[in-house]
Amino acid sequence: MNRRYFEQKKGRVEIIPMIDIMLFLLVFFIMITLQMIPDKGLNLQLPTSSEAQSLPRPHFTINIDKDGSVNVKGHHYDLDGLQKMLASDGDPGKTQITIAADKGVPFQDFIHVMDRCQKAGVSDIGIAAKS
């Protein structure tokens, strides 16, 4: 095989590494986008209020279902577990809480959750209502 000294070789564009990088970027942006979706909580029948106002997005939304179960970000907690979780959240004094209770929930269950929030050191508590 004779090869001339100044013979030009054709350049090739390798596309497989570019596809790998594009797929990596796609997965990265999907994961970041999923982290940006706010916690909307459960689908509850909230009580209505003529004076309800929109509050800034809460740090935690505590959902109380009709059966009295407490859910925070998809995790079920008993009252002691809720208090421990809120107390271990760094600075509970700056933690923002919104309590969303179904309108069929006994008021005593609502008060128990609010008491546990206050025992954990949380002072910024909002109540969810439908306007």
Side-chain angles (χ1 to χ4, degrees), residues 12-31:
R12 290 180 23 181
V13 175
E14 296 291 333
I15 196 163
I16 293 174
M18 185 173 65
I19 292 172
D20 291 342
I21 290 173
M22 294 304 290
L23 287 175
F24 174 75
L25 288 174
L26 179 66
V27 168
F28 176 75
F29 285 121
I30 288 173
M31 294 302 289

Side-chain angles (χ1 to χ4, degrees), residues 25-130:
L25 288 174
L26 179 66
V27 168
F28 176 75
F29 285 121
I30 288 173
M31 294 302 289
I32 293 298
T33 303
L34 289 176
Q35 293 294 326
M36 293 171 62
I37 297 173
D39 178 28
K40 295 290 185 186
L42 299 175
N43 187 14
L44 301 174
Q45 297 295 322
L46 296 174
T48 57
S49 170
S50 62
E51 298 296 319
Q53 299 174 358
S54 291
L55 296 175
R57 185 174 171 268
H59 188 268
F60 290 112
T61 301
I62 300 175
N63 299 297
I64 308 172
D65 208 356
K66 288 180 185 178
D67 61 355
S69 62
V70 177
N71 300 307
V72 180
K73 294 188 177 182
H75 300 294
H76 296 284
Y77 291 99
D78 62 348
L79 293 176
D80 292 329
L82 177 68
Q83 183 178 344
K84 288 177 187 174
M85 186 269 301
L86 292 173
S88 66
D89 184 47
D91 186 7
K94 294 183 180 178
T95 301
Q96 297 176 353
I97 297 291
T98 298
I99 301 175
D102 194 275
K103 61 182 171 183
V105 170
F107 191 64
Q108 188 63 46
D109 292 345
F110 180 83
I111 294 299
H112 286 310
V113 170
M114 187 177 282
D115 284 343
R116 292 304 176 115
C117 291
Q118 289 178 338
K119 284 181 184 178
V122 177
S123 60
D124 192 3
I125 300 173
I127 300 170
K130 190 189 318 183

